[in-house]
Amino acid sequence: MQKIVILDYGMGNLHSVASALQKVAPGDEVVLATTPEQAEGADRLIVPGVGAIRDCMEGFIRPGFVPLLNRCIETGMPVLGICVGMQIMMGRSEENNGVDCLDIFPQPVKFFGTDLKENGERLKVPHMGWNQVQQKIDHPMWRDIENGSRFYFVHSYYVPAENNGALAGEAEYGVRIAAAVARENIFATQFHPEKSADAGLQLLKNFVGWNGQY
């Protein structure tokens, strides 16, 4: 039995993630950890996140989750970031007049803007709903997921796909956005796999079985 830890720092859609994991991995232990001590003995780690990134960063730093995440990355433990849980791993966000993030991936987080258009039509911000994701690398996390599958997004800020050396999946919403990024034992998604029906459940199932390498 594996111990799958979801970091609870007050800013994540935790119970939906936990419920989806219990569905794809009924024999494993799913733990919502509010302290690093509760994450002891973890086999894999999930960093969720919704809401304002400044609050997310403060909530993540306060209980001591930064050293925990760094240790997990250094030891090769599989790590999954979801939505703002992906964004806090970037270099700096434009939100709230600029917020420094964890800089695990040296990429910016940008605002979609108030005049976002596609084919001359104004697009709503936040980007909310289903969007196709094009897989950009051959990765174990994409196993048994058809290229171009649709996933569920809710966000006003995005990580650009252009000049992104960690790009694992791409979507378009007025601009090219990084739908997923990957590096060594880290895989992070802008979309919500726990809300993305069969494709999202398959991605979570892949995470449960992933050895952290590709």
Side-chain angles (χ1 to χ4, degrees):
M1 181 176 70
Q2 298 185 101
K3 180 177 179 178
I4 306 170
V5 170
I6 304 171
L7 296 184
D8 179 0
Y9 55 104
M11 301 298 295
N13 192 16
L14 305 178
H15 296 290
S16 295
V17 177
S19 178
L21 282 168
Q22 288 161 350
K23 186 172 183 178
V24 300
D28 289 336
E29 179 187 13
V30 178
V31 175
L32 303 180
T34 57
T35 67
E37 291 73 24
Q38 292 172 343
E40 287 295 325
D43 296 292
R44 47 200 72 238
L45 188 74
I46 296 179
V47 183
V50 295
I53 198 162
R54 188 182 300 280
D55 293 338
C56 284
M57 284 298 301
E58 291 175 355
F60 196 80
I61 291 168
R62 191 180 310 114
F65 283 154
V66 175
L68 170 67
L69 177 59
N70 288 336
R71 286 197 302 272
C72 292
I73 293 170
E74 289 169 4
T75 59
M77 182 187 299
V79 174
L80 175 65
I82 297 175
C83 196
V84 179
M86 169 180 142
Q87 292 185 5
I88 67 170
M89 296 184 189
M90 301 299 134
R92 184 172 173 83
S93 174
E94 292 182 347
E95 191 173 351
N96 299 124
N97 296 315
V99 176
D100 288 331
C101 301
L102 299 177
D103 204 29
I104 295 168
F105 296 91
Q107 306 292 335
V109 181
K110 295 182 172 291
F111 180 45
F112 275 121
T114 57
D115 193 33
L116 187 67
K117 293 182 179 179
E118 190 169 80
N119 298 323
E121 297 291 327
R122 187 183 297 273
L123 297 175
K124 293 182 179 179
V125 176
H127 171 209
M128 183 180 299
W130 297 83
N131 204 326
Q132 282 190 311
V133 172
Q134 301 299 322
Q135 299 168 19
K136 306 306 291 186
I137 59 173
D138 183 15
H139 195 286
M141 288 288 287
W142 294 132
R143 182 175 60 83
D144 295 332
I145 299 174
E146 185 177 353
N147 193 17
S149 292
R150 299 174 73 83
F151 291 87
Y152 190 79
F153 292 77
V154 183
H155 61 125
S156 298
Y157 292 80
Y158 70 98
V159 177
E162 292 187 23
N163 301 316
N164 190 329
L167 189 67
E170 180 179 323
E172 289 198 21
Y173 193 71
V175 293
R176 294 171 54 215
I177 69 173
V181 294
R183 192 193 78 192
E184 299 172 345
N185 54 315
I186 311 168
F187 194 92
T189 67
Q190 181 62 68
F191 57 80
H192 286 271
E194 77 280 6
K195 296 181 180 181
S196 296
D198 291 345
L201 289 177
Q202 182 63 48
L203 188 134
L204 291 174
K205 182 178 180 181
N206 292 343
F207 177 68
V208 169
W210 180 36
N211 65 3
Q213 300 177 2
Y214 79 96

